[in-house]
């Protein structure tokens, strides 16, 4: 993590382990933007408190990103309200749904755009990518490039 500033890359995505506070803190200190994935479940919301407290220490723009969101009901809205009010962490307006494509991604090692290019999961990921680019001041044409050079959208 120490050499990230010397790499000269436009964006680097670092996924830290959920209970590695020192690693997460160091990564957050070097970040321009932190996205915290969170499922709208009571266990995830409780576990998120430590992360929210860490982010207050580093004062880096940070947002919770709700994932595995059911396509029906109000649980995601309730979770977003709790995150914003109780944890003081803004919530990204883009939500990642409970999609079969995401489960397939774990099995195949592919991304949603590779599994179902025109599917809902691919659309959600593209929207999150576009939203993130806006936050960082990056130009996003609607199609990005993955780390392996493949098309993202």
């Amino acid at each position: 993590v120490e050499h990230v500033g010397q790499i000269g890359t436009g964006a680097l995505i670092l996924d830290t382990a959920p209970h590695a506070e020192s690693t997460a803190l160091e990564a957050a200190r070097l970040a321009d933007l932190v996205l915290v994935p969170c499922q709208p479940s009571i266990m995830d919301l409780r576990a998120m408190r430590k992360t929210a407290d860490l982010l207050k220490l580093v004062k880096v723009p940070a947002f919770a990103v709700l994932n595995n969101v059911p396509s029906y009901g109000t649980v995601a809205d309730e979770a977003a309200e709790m995150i914003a009010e109780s944890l003081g962490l803004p919530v990204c307006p883009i939500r990642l749904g409970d999609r079969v494509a995401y489960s397939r991604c774990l099995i195949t090692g592919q991304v949603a755009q590779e599994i179902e290019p025109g599917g809902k999961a691919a659309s959600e990921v593209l929207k999150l990518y576009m939203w993130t680019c806006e936050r960082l001041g990056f130009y996003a044409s609607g199609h990005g490039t993955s780390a392996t050079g493949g098309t993202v959208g």
Side-chain angles (χ1 to χ4, degrees), residues 39 68 96-112 115-116 121 124:
Q39 295 183 38
N68 206 23
L96 303 179
D98 180 14
R99 310 266 179 237
V100 173
Y102 295 131
S103 297
R104 288 185 186 143
C105 290
L106 294 173
I107 295 167
T108 65
Q110 296 175 300
V111 297
I115 291 179
E116 294 177 6
E124 291 168 350

Side-chain angles (χ1 to χ4, degrees), residues 11-130:
L12 175 68
I13 298 173
L14 179 61
D15 184 3
T16 63
H19 300 293
E21 284 90 7
S22 63
T23 302
L25 183 61
E26 185 64 23
R29 281 192 177 120
L30 297 171
D32 294 318
L33 177 69
V34 175
L35 300 179
V36 183
C38 180
Q39 295 183 38
S41 72
I42 191 64
M43 298 305 286
D44 277 50
L45 295 172
R46 284 182 182 163
M48 195 173 184
R49 184 164 305 280
K50 277 187 180 180
T51 302
D53 290 343
L54 281 174
L55 292 171
K56 289 174 188 167
L57 293 173
V58 297
K59 297 179 177 130
V60 170
F63 293 85
V65 178
L66 290 172
N67 63 6
N68 206 23
V69 174
S71 58
Y72 55 87
T74 61
V75 70
D77 294 332
E78 293 163 7
E81 186 176 320
M82 186 272 191
I83 291 167
E85 291 180 9
S86 297
L87 302 179
L89 188 63
V91 180
C92 171
I94 310 303
R95 296 175 179 176
L96 303 179
D98 180 14
R99 310 266 179 237
V100 173
Y102 295 131
S103 297
R104 288 185 186 143
C105 290
L106 294 173
I107 295 167
T108 65
Q110 296 175 300
V111 297
Q113 289 78 358
E114 293 172 306
I115 291 179
E116 294 177 6
K120 290 180 181 179
S123 175
E124 291 168 350
V125 171
L126 179 60
K127 287 177 186 174
L128 180 60
Y129 166 77
M130 300 290 287

Side-chain angles (χ1 to χ4, degrees), residues 129-150:
Y129 166 77
M130 300 290 287
W131 181 86
T132 303
C133 286
E134 286 177 24
R135 301 286 84 61
L136 293 170
F138 290 172
Y139 172 74
S141 64
H143 298 311
T145 312
S146 73
T148 59

